Amino acid sequence: MTKILVVDDESSIVTLLQFNIEKAGFDVVTAEDGRTGYELALAEKPDLIVLDLMLPEMDGIEVCKQLRQDKVETPILMLTAKDDELDKIIGLELGADDYLTKPFSPREVVARIKAILRRSAGKPADVELEVAPKEKALHVGDLKILTESYEVYLQDELLDLTPKEFELLLYLANHRGKVFSRDQLLDAVWNYDYIGETRIVDVHVSHLRDKIEADTKKPQYIKTIRGFGYKMENVKS
């Protein structure tokens, strides 16, 4: 059974989330402080972590940071009571996969969990993963994107991409030369409504450029179209 770790210092929220997540068919492990949550993440090896930002002992940002430094790639859904874009962006930059601002409905948490797990399994609902029939890999310049194993190579070196980075790269590569606004990318790659949250796209594009571009100030692959959005250049091998 898929295991979800819930880390929140409010007992009522932990109880509410545990009930609804278990009702959705998942196994649930809980913690009410960051240190215990971090230790359980290492010991229990959950499939996803629901992580509050404000925690005693060790806050959510530090838990996320430590897990990523430990090479733990478990998807993280971060919860925050602050409607502060900076907190959200910091969480995403440290490796969180998604976030929700309190108050939220338990049904929305379960929906986000299911969406993240689909993406982590390489089976997002709406992203175009198929390439031409019999084509084993998608080539863009020195990039080789393997759509069956969900791997990306740059000059034969395997890149360490998150599931969301892979989906964004694949979507752009499948539409080389086409310009997309941030809202269009949110709608195509993120499977639910992120109206006004276009900074998420910028963060993921920045992460991709760090990994695929020789010079991030003069990107070869993902170009910024000022005043509109981004496009993937049709770079020749």
Side-chain angles (χ1 to χ4, degrees):
M1 184 179 291
T2 301
K3 184 185 298 183
I4 309 298
L5 170 60
V6 174
V7 188
D8 196 298
D9 63 334
E10 296 184 54
S11 298
S12 59
I13 290 179
V14 171
T15 300
L16 182 65
L17 289 178
Q18 182 172 9
F19 173 79
N20 283 274
I21 295 171
E22 287 180 342
K23 186 178 178 182
F26 301 107
D27 187 21
V28 178
V29 180
T30 66
E32 295 190 10
D33 67 81
R35 175 63 61 184
T36 302
Y38 169 72
E39 293 171 351
L40 283 175
L42 297 178
E44 294 286 338
K45 295 181 172 55
D47 298 282
L48 182 141
I49 302 168
V50 179
L51 179 65
D52 190 29
L53 180 67
M54 302 300 292
L55 292 167
E57 303 293 333
M58 191 175 178
D59 66 30
I61 292 292
E62 186 63 22
V63 172
C64 183
K65 179 180 178 181
Q66 288 297 322
L67 288 173
R68 295 310 186 229
Q69 287 180 350
D70 292 339
K71 306 299 182 184
V72 175
E73 298 300 330
T74 305
I76 295 174
L77 171 59
M78 188 162 281
L79 306 178
T80 172
K82 297 180 179 179
D83 190 15
D84 188 336
E85 183 183 24
L86 180 60
D87 289 318
K88 300 169 185 176
I89 297 304
I90 289 174
L92 290 168
E93 289 180 339
L94 288 174
D97 295 80
D98 199 358
Y99 66 84
L100 272 174
T101 302
K102 297 178 180 179
F104 47 74
S105 72
R107 291 179 62 185
E108 184 175 11
V109 174
V110 171
R112 294 288 181 96
I113 288 172
K114 290 179 177 179
I116 295 170
L117 289 173
R118 281 199 307 269
R119 296 199 300 263
S120 299
K123 298 177 181 178
D126 299 318
V127 178
E128 298 178 25
L129 293 177
E130 294 79 12
V131 294
K134 298 182 180 180
E135 186 175 7
K136 297 297 183 181
L138 187 63
H139 294 271
V140 184
D142 291 328
L143 286 172
K144 181 170 67 173
I145 304 171
L146 302 180
T147 60
E148 293 182 1
S149 59
Y150 304 97
E151 294 177 338
V152 178
Y153 291 83
L154 178 61
Q155 295 181 338
D156 297 323
E157 179 182 349
L158 178 63
L159 301 181
D160 182 18
L161 301 187
T162 67
K164 184 52 62 186
E165 290 167 359
F166 176 86
E167 291 176 28
L168 179 58
L169 179 64
L170 181 59
Y171 189 81
L172 290 170
N174 269 332
H175 299 86
R176 294 186 294 282
K178 183 175 180 179
V179 180
F180 291 97
S181 70
R182 292 167 176 82
D183 284 325
Q184 286 174 320
L185 290 172
L186 282 172
D187 185 57
V189 180
W190 281 258
N191 296 325
Y192 31 77
D193 191 5
Y194 267 95
I195 293 174
E197 303 290 357
T198 54
R199 180 70 191 278
I200 294 174
V201 176
D202 297 333
V203 169
H204 282 79
V205 167
S206 176
H207 286 179
L208 275 175
R209 283 175 171 164
D210 287 340
K211 295 174 182 181
I212 69 174
E213 301 285 2
D215 184 350
T216 57
K217 294 182 179 179
K218 297 179 180 179
Q220 177 185 14
Y221 293 99
I222 303 178
K223 295 292 183 69
T224 300
I225 308 303
R226 189 177 298 276
F228 194 73
Y230 299 101
K231 74 171 180 177
M232 170 74 81
E233 291 284 20
N234 193 18
V235 181
K236 301 299 182 181
S237 300

